[in-house]
Amino acid sequence: MLKQLQYYFDFHWPNLFSPEYLPYILKAILILVLFIVLERVITCIIARRLLTFMEKEGLDSGYRFLQAFIRPLRYLILLAGAYVIIRYLPLAAGPEQALVKICRLLLVLIFMWWLYNISGSNSLMSGELQEKLHIDSRLIPFFSKVVRFIIVALALVLVLKELGYDVNGFIAGLGLGGLAFALAAKDALANIFGGIVIILEKPFSIGDWVFTPSVEGTVEDISFRSTRFRTFAQGLVTVPNSTLANEPITNWSRMGKRRVSFHLGLSYQTTSEQMAGIIPKIRALLQEHPGVHPETIMVSFENFSASSLDILVYYFTRTTNWDEHLAVKEEINLSIMRLLEAEGVSIAFPSRSIYLENK
């Protein structure tokens, strides 16, 4: 291809500056001026006004799309003018074919330039679209780099093909190289894809209290390779994302309510009448407390244990905050103690009765 271009430029150019070609030259200059004016009108007047309108109307996606297209559009219009001039001038077949090939090559580069601009992290996806698709903003730069790499590789292939090179071997080499890279970096790729899964599915966020078979603690940072946890002993644990993606994850911070369950053991001196009176009073105490969730409240005489009569107390606090949960639990326990004191009922403790036989 390059040798052909050199041949065309060296031997097949007519003398365009001879008097017979002067009208063509003047008309070509006029065509160029017209396309330059057209480029100024479209890019500096129409496009700028459209950008201002879209910005005022909040059309974020259209604004980013048009803004990324303005500069390539300028060169695209000028390239169209050059193509018209090439077709208009009385050139020989060789030079005309060479210049048309150059225009086609430049057209491919301009189109890839536009795609490259659109795939930027600031233009790839608007904030509204991110919210609709529930895509984390941390994924946008990663996807942007991947898309831009694909665009550059595709542009390189198209340019080589346009220059007359056989790209099949090049594509096959890229495939083999990609396979070798994937095998060599399979652990790193597994962590990256695990990070993408975590960011997309969002089983936890920064600041959440999380329990997994590998670690329990508060999430401090989420990256594409790993996630960092601060344990309750203040240790910092880094877990690969590929490990987290294959483990059951319990997010305690996303509880809608926090459970309280215990057995209240009363002594065997408690009569059935006292028991029948205490149970509804404890249930009413829980129902009236503002910190207790009203959906599930259970108070029931459940067991005859070895040294106590067991009442099951089961309820949920509205708050999931640990400090507030403990405060509500403490208030209810104190209220139950006051209720038992008022009823004259004592709490049982482990005891054993010993009987001595007189002989």
Side-chain angles (χ1 to χ4, degrees), residues 16 21 24-25 28 84-92 96:
L16 295 176
Y21 289 110
Y24 293 100
I25 297 299
V84 172
I85 291 173
I86 292 170
R87 287 298 188 182
Y88 172 75
L89 290 175
L91 300 175
E96 182 178 354

Side-chain angles (χ1 to χ4, degrees), residues 114-324:
W114 172 55
L115 293 180
Y116 188 87
N117 288 343
I118 291 179
S119 62
S121 59
N122 294 328
S123 305
L124 184 62
M125 191 171 295
S126 64
E128 297 178 358
L129 190 58
Q130 290 181 35
E131 294 179 0
K132 290 180 180 179
L133 299 178
H134 304 287
I135 297 178
D136 196 283
S137 59
R138 287 167 293 184
L139 287 176
I140 303 302
F142 175 77
F143 286 141
S144 174
K145 292 178 181 178
V146 172
V147 172
R148 282 190 163 185
F149 175 79
I150 295 173
I151 290 172
V152 170
L154 182 60
L156 181 60
V157 170
L158 292 177
V159 167
L160 292 175
K161 186 176 181 180
E162 193 66 31
L163 292 176
Y165 290 98
D166 185 10
V167 297
N168 293 327
F170 177 73
I171 295 175
L174 285 179
L176 293 175
L179 178 61
F181 175 78
L183 292 175
K186 63 176 183 178
D187 292 336
L189 292 176
N191 288 328
I192 290 175
F193 284 113
I196 293 174
V197 169
I198 290 173
I199 293 174
L200 286 176
E201 294 187 355
K202 296 182 179 180
F204 50 78
S205 302
I206 294 176
D208 286 355
W209 169 24
V210 171
F211 171 80
T212 73
S214 299
V215 66
E216 180 178 11
T218 304
V219 181
E220 280 204 351
D221 183 60
I222 304 172
S223 65
F224 284 105
R225 196 198 73 82
S226 61
T227 300
R228 292 200 297 267
F229 296 87
R230 181 71 63 179
T231 65
F232 297 118
Q234 293 305 302
L236 186 63
V237 180
T238 302
V239 182
N241 288 330
S242 58
T243 301
L244 288 175
N246 294 309
E247 288 184 341
I249 299 173
T250 303
N251 192 332
W252 295 113
S253 296
R254 295 187 183 176
M255 293 183 294
K257 49 191 177 180
R258 191 180 287 272
R259 187 183 66 173
V260 178
S261 178
F262 64 92
H263 284 91
L264 179 64
L266 304 183
S267 67
Y268 267 93
Q269 281 72 35
T270 304
T271 63
S272 59
E273 290 79 7
Q274 289 175 317
M275 181 68 76
I278 288 172
I279 291 175
K281 290 181 180 180
I282 295 177
R283 187 180 297 114
L285 185 152
L286 295 174
Q287 292 171 347
E288 295 170 1
H289 195 285
V292 176
H293 199 284
E295 184 176 335
T296 305
I297 296 176
M298 289 184 282
V299 182
S300 177
F301 177 29
E302 188 176 33
N303 294 321
F304 291 92
S305 296
S307 57
S308 63
L309 303 173
D310 293 339
I311 299 176
L312 172 66
V313 180
Y314 187 93
Y315 64 94
F316 290 85
T317 61
R318 293 179 182 271
T319 179
T320 59
N321 181 272
W322 181 245
D323 292 335
E324 297 175 2

